[in-house]
Structures are given as structure tokens and as C-alpha cells.
Amino acid sequence: MFKQVTPAPVPADDLAAALAPFGQSRMLPREAYVDPAVFEWEKGNIFSGWHCVGHAADLDGVGAQKAVGSGPNGILLVRGEDNQVRAFANVCRHRGHEMLACGGSAKRRGIVCPYHSWSYKLDGQLRKAPGFDATEGFDAGQFGLTELRLVNWHGYLFVDPSGTDVDFADHVAGMEDIVGPYRPEDLTVVARHSYELETNWKVIVENYQECYHCSAIHPELSKISPPTSGENIDLPGDWMGGWMSMIDEAETMSLSGRSGGVAIKGLSEQELRTVMYLVGFPNLLVSLHPDYVMTHLMTPLAVDRTHVECAWSFPKEALEKPDFDPSYAVDFWDLTNRQDWAACESVQRGLSSPHARPGPLAPDEDGVYQFVTRVARAYTGTR
Ligand code: FES
Ligand SMILES: [Fe+2]
């Protein structure tokens, strides 16, 4: 399904430069990072399609409810009697109140609007509208919550609020073979960090898509995983990414290179020696390690502000170890995250200068090129 979209409000020349062949192209127009009008456009044209809204395990048990996103992309997630998670537009069919405030959560056998107490079943059907019993012709069947397309893919929840994005299989084309062996749906989130960054969400993805910066700002990471040890992969869907090898002595990404956990069962020799870094376009970063999976879930708050939730998941065999302590992975990446966040926030301040111009991409920034051109194609109004 393709819909006609208005191009993003960015200069056409700059957009063409971003789409030039790799080696000659430039970064996205400066407006993409600093202009609130572009941010609004992205909400309506990028974040209105498939994007990640969290981990299925966050909705713990029948009746668990959570509101994510806001405004046009405000979504209510609900785990139903059948144990399936559903997504609804977070808007009451009476007069439009949100069922839960953005970021709020609840657990009950029904969904109740806080304004005039209309109540819905967990599958979205209207159960009771107080005072309407005697109203002639009132048909409760017409006033169920609006259900949105949702896919629970390996424990990650994806929603398409627009209802017009491509089939989910096309969105994640090529990913099953890469993510499947790690069985993220069977891992347990053991640690989470929440960061609020003063930077545009795309600066974070671009930073994640290259290790050209690693030797300058990540001495600890570079010791375990040499910055030029990897390659990017070319995939048919909307996701992108690449892998990096670890030195022979290292078991995983940690300060010492040692693992405090257990390797994920069934991984290949290659998977046990590498870390795969994936961008689940637009807002989920998935880092597949031999013994844990780390995700960064980005929620853009403003053109220059982004919330990032970093979560670390481990196999149950690790959790069963009596002395299991995830800090070997958490501390390593918290340190690395903070090095990255400082760079990303500095880039944002730099780009706010009227003298900032879209720069060229280095040979090692082909991953950035994949992301930039994916965004630039969206800006032109085509896929
Ligand atoms: S707006 Fe929800 S019950 Fe009135
Ligand atoms: Fe980095």
C-alpha cells in the first residue's frame, strides 16, 4: 500500500545532495535536525508508520495497559483475555479524552475512560456508557476503541498508527535470519536505563551507524572490538546495520572482555565472535551480543530532545546462576552510552549554528549513508 505524501519542508538542493551516490553525498539538510516544522512532518510521515512501542513483556498479565506516544500517534497498548497485546488509538469514543495519560499504565479487567467513565472490554468493545441505557437507537457496537495494526515480533511490539504502511514482513525483510537465532522473546530484561538527550533522534541513529568515532571517544570499546573490525550489511527491508568482531581473548562486550553470564544457546561460531548492531527503522536499536541483547528505544520529544530507554536482556540460564550480576554488560554500555550522548549533544549544539552545512561522509560511514538516504527518500515523499 503506498500513500501520497507531501514532501518534508527541507531545501530541495540539500535533499538531492543527501541522495547523491555514496562518496559524493552530503548529510541531511540542517533543517532536519533543528527545524520544528521538519519534526512535525516526521511525526506525521515517519512515526505514523511502523515503529517500536516497547517490549511485550512490559505488559505483564491480562489487563495490563500502557499509553505510549502522544498527539496523533498516541497509542494505548492492552493485554487481552486471550493474552494477546492489542493497540488502540488512545482516544475515547465519547468525547475524545485519552484513556490513560501519555506514559501512564494500569492493570484492570476493563479499559475505563477517566472523564465520564465509559468502559470498554480488553478487546476494545464498548461495555458500558453510563446514562445511555434508555437512549433510543444507541448501538454500543458502533463505539468500540479504534484498533491499530500491531505486530509482536520476537517480543518487540511494532505499531502502524496510519494503517497504510507496507506489510510488516516487508518492513523487516531479511531480519528473521539475523535476529531469530538470539530468540529475544525468550530473554528477560534485567536492567534498564532511561536517558533524556538534548539532541535530535537522527543524530543518535547516525552515531550508532558508524565506528569512525570509536577510536576517538571509546577507548574501552576499541580495546575489545577494534573499530575497523566490521562491515555493514545491505538488507531489502527498512532495517539496516552491521557487525563488528571482538578480539580473540574477549567473550563479549564488557570492560574486561569477560562474560558474567551464559552464551545464548544455539548461536553459530560467527555469532559468538561478533556483535550485530541493527537499526529497526526508525526508533529501535538492537545490539545482539553472544550472551545478551541490548536495545535502545528512542522516543522523540522535540526536534532537539529525545528520550532513550536502554534495556539489557539475558537468557534464563544466566539468571539461574547464583552470583549472576548483569553489571558487566550494563556498566560497559552505560559508560559507552554516555560517551556517545556527549558527542550527540555536541553535534546538536553545533548544528544549531546558522553556519552549519551538511558535511561529506567518510568511507567508513556507509552505514550512516544507508540511514540518511532512507530518511531523505521519505522526505521526498516516496519510499
Ligand atoms: S470522553 Fe471518555 S467517557 Fe466521555
Ligand atoms: Fe559510539
Side-chain angles (χ1 to χ4, degrees):
M1 233 185 303
F2 294 95
K3 64 170 180 170
Q4 198 62 40
V5 289
T6 339
V10 294
D13 292 1
D14 285 354
L15 197 50
L19 286 164
F22 184 57
Q24 290 145 45
S25 77
R26 294 287 179 270
M27 288 298 287
L28 291 168
R30 175 180 167 266
E31 289 77 1
Y33 306 96
V34 300
D35 186 346
V38 177
F39 182 68
E40 284 305 311
W41 185 93
E42 289 174 346
K43 278 202 284 186
N45 295 280
I46 291 179
F47 285 87
S48 60
W50 290 118
H51 67 285
C52 184
V53 293
H55 297 256
D58 297 349
L59 291 139
D60 190 11
V62 170
Q65 306 171 26
K66 193 175 168 198
V68 296
S70 59
N73 301 325
I75 295 160
L76 180 72
L77 300 168
V78 180
R79 190 178 286 280
E81 304 285 352
D82 56 359
N83 215 24
Q84 297 303 305
V85 179
R86 291 181 180 77
F88 303 100
N90 188 15
V91 50
C92 181
R93 292 296 308 277
H94 176 222
R95 282 184 29 222
H97 199 284
E98 293 163 308
M99 308 306 299
L100 278 176
C102 176
S105 58
K107 191 168 183 182
R108 57 206 295 183
R109 291 315 263 235
I111 307 163
V112 183
C113 178
Y115 199 10
H116 314 95
S117 305
W118 278 32
S119 63
Y120 302 83
K121 295 183 189 167
L122 297 178
D123 65 2
Q125 287 179 58
L126 180 63
R127 177 156 47 202
K128 180 123 187 72
F132 277 83
D133 298 342
T135 304
E136 192 147 345
F138 180 75
D139 175 9
Q142 285 183 16
F143 298 100
L145 295 176
T146 304
E147 190 165 352
L148 308 174
R149 292 164 94 190
L150 173 141
V151 175
N152 176 351
W153 191 70
H154 289 292
Y156 305 121
L157 301 175
F158 294 87
V159 176
D160 168 26
S162 71
T164 60
D165 205 342
V166 296
D167 286 343
F168 186 76
D170 293 331
H171 177 69
V172 290
M175 271 301 128
E176 190 57 48
D177 290 350
I178 296 173
V179 175
Y182 294 81
R183 290 176 286 112
E185 64 275 29
D186 293 339
L187 306 180
T188 307
V189 175
V190 169
R192 291 174 201 257
H193 281 188
S194 183
Y195 307 92
E196 195 169 315
L197 308 189
E198 290 187 10
T199 194
N200 183 270
W201 67 277
K202 298 185 295 296
V203 172
I204 300 170
V205 183
E206 288 156 3
N207 173 77
Y208 183 81
Q209 277 285 78
E210 49 95 358
C211 212
Y212 185 40
H213 69 265
C214 290
S215 46
I217 72 167
H218 297 313
E220 298 83 4
L221 178 142
S222 300
K223 259 196 282 179
I224 305 294
S225 182
T228 55
S229 69
E231 253 172 60
N232 291 308
I233 44 177
D234 213 350
L235 294 157
D238 285 333
W239 286 43
M240 55 200 84
W243 52 269
M244 285 178 66
S245 301
M246 296 178 294
I247 55 167
D248 289 344
E249 303 75 43
E251 298 167 329
T252 192
M253 299 301 282
S254 67
L255 286 168
S256 66
R258 312 300 301 174
S259 166
V262 176
I264 296 169
K265 270 205 205 117
L267 295 184
S268 68
E269 266 317 295
Q270 159 87 356
E271 287 158 345
L272 291 170
R273 300 303 320 143
T274 52
V275 183
M276 180 65 85
Y277 297 97
L278 300 169
V279 177
F281 189 83
N283 69 325
L284 178 71
L285 310 177
V286 183
S287 308
L288 303 166
H289 298 69
D291 54 339
Y292 63 94
V293 172
M294 174 177 68
T295 52
H296 292 87
L297 179 65
M298 293 179 290
T299 307
L301 303 173
V303 70
D304 56 358
R305 228 155 35 87
T306 308
H307 181 268
V308 181
E309 190 202 66
C310 190
W312 290 264
S313 308
F314 296 81
K316 68 172 190 315
E317 294 81 11
L319 274 60
E320 283 161 0
K321 284 173 62 166
D323 54 345
F324 176 67
D325 177 356
S327 61
Y328 75 95
V330 175
D331 291 354
F332 173 82
W333 279 113
D334 182 51
L335 174 73
T336 308
N337 281 338
R338 288 177 195 281
Q339 292 162 342
D340 281 323
W341 303 160
C344 291
E345 291 185 330
S346 178
V347 167
Q348 185 70 30
R349 289 191 295 274
L351 291 173
S352 71
S353 162
H355 300 292
R357 297 279 179 277
L361 289 86
D364 283 346
E365 292 178 298
D366 52 325
V368 180
Y369 181 75
Q370 285 190 18
F371 175 71
V372 161
T373 49
R374 174 68 184 80
V375 174
R377 285 196 305 277
Y379 283 175
T380 64
T382 56
R383 273 189 66 81

